Amino acid sequence: DIVMTQGALPNPVPSGESASITCQSSKSLLHSNGKTYLNWYLQRPGQSPQLLIYWMSTRASGVSDRFSGSGSGTDFTLKISSVEAEDVGVYYCQQFLEYPRTFGGGTKLELK
Amino acid sequence: QVKLLQSGAELVKPGASVKLSCKTSGFTFSTSYMSWLKQVPGPSIEWIGWIYAGDGGTNYNQKFKGKATLTVDKSSSTAYMDLSSLTSEDAAVYFCARGTTGGFAYWGQGTLVTVSS
């Protein structure tokens, strides 16, 4: 199985500052079609996960442009510019290249 | 709009089985891949498997083979997951989600399963 490893945030993050969350995969997620099959989700307290970014850098419908995804085949970053109260929760990366689909352990964002 | 409405919380005895449901609306169910996922405090999320509503074809995470059985009822646009021989390790929140080429774009609200005698 592909192992997804996420980094921690230096919490709490001051409101209005930017935050970057890292994720590493044990295998390249670059498909032969040129797409990188890495997704990012946010799970707000008490809610279901919400898809933020797919194919490493494409924002899902309705997602704020304060969220951006980047990376290579195995190292990825989710950047949140100007953190707001609604950004609080746990962020997950997930690979969509192979079965079984696997998730990182989550990175918690707290607001100062 | 797209909705996935899951059944309510379950309290089940060790060794028993439980059937969870996920009623959908707002999209073409018969051409959809419906996944089920497990979340335990930690937090961590595991993908259990998917079922293609069109023909009932399935793809399971090896870890959950023999534990979970996925079915659908196209007439009611509902997906189901049976969990058998429950132990404390199966206590979790279970989500259904609609898979697309870009990931799990739509999720149910989750069903809490508690295993206790």
Side-chain angles (χ1 to χ4, degrees):
Chain A
D1 298 0
I2 298 177
V3 177
M4 307 298 293
T5 304
Q6 293 185 230
L9 273 175
N11 279 315
V13 178
S15 179
E17 297 277 299
S18 66
S20 291
I21 299 171
T22 61
C23 171
Q24 192 170 50
S25 59
S26 62
K27 178 179 178 177
S28 175
L29 303 183
L30 177 62
H31 192 276
S32 56
N33 64 10
K35 291 181 169 61
T36 301
Y37 282 74
L38 185 281
N39 302 329
W40 289 99
Y41 299 83
L42 163 61
Q43 186 172 30
R44 297 185 175 97
Q47 295 187 18
S48 305
Q50 171 196 359
L51 179 65
L52 296 175
I53 302 281
Y54 60 95
W55 295 340
M56 189 177 70
S57 60
T58 301
R59 273 188 300 277
S61 176
V63 173
S64 169
D65 59 6
R66 295 185 298 102
F67 292 91
S68 62
S70 63
S72 63
T74 57
D75 293 276
F76 311 98
T77 301
L78 175 71
K79 183 175 180 181
I80 312 164
S81 62
S82 191
V83 170
E84 300 178 359
E86 65 180 20
D87 303 333
V88 164
V90 180
Y91 290 80
Y92 296 93
C93 59
Q94 180 234 338
Q95 65 83 14
F96 220 69
L97 182 70
E98 291 184 357
Y99 291 107
R101 310 304 197 203
T102 49
F103 289 76
T107 299
K108 191 171 187 178
L109 185 149
E110 298 170 325
L111 199 65
K112 189 173 184 180
Chain B
Q1 74 271 33
V2 174
K3 291 184 179 179
L4 284 72
L5 184 62
Q6 296 187 236
S7 48
E10 300 274 1
L11 171 61
V12 293
K13 292 183 178 352
S17 298
V18 69
K19 187 170 188 172
L20 310 183
S21 67
C22 172
K23 183 167 178 55
T24 74
S25 60
F27 62 93
T28 305
F29 182 74
S30 61
T31 59
S32 296
Y33 289 83
M34 298 300 299
S35 276
W36 288 85
L37 302 102
K38 175 184 181 182
Q39 183 169 40
V40 296
S44 85
I45 302 174
E46 292 181 285
W47 175 78
I48 295 170
W50 58 245
I51 182 166
Y52 179 61
D55 61 8
T58 54
N59 185 351
Y60 290 96
N61 183 336
Q62 185 70 29
K63 178 178 178 180
F64 293 93
K65 282 186 176 178
K67 171 62 64 178
T69 302
L70 307 184
T71 56
V72 295
D73 177 358
K74 286 195 286 186
S75 68
S76 63
S77 299
T78 302
Y80 297 94
M81 178 172 69
D82 273 289
L83 296 170
S84 63
S85 304
L86 290 164
T87 72
S88 59
E89 301 276 301
D90 300 313
V93 175
Y94 291 88
F95 293 97
C96 61
R98 182 189 175 211
T100 65
T101 55
F104 300 121
Y106 303 99
W107 295 65
Q109 83 278 20
T111 296
L112 174 65
V113 174
T114 303
V115 182
S116 174
S117 55

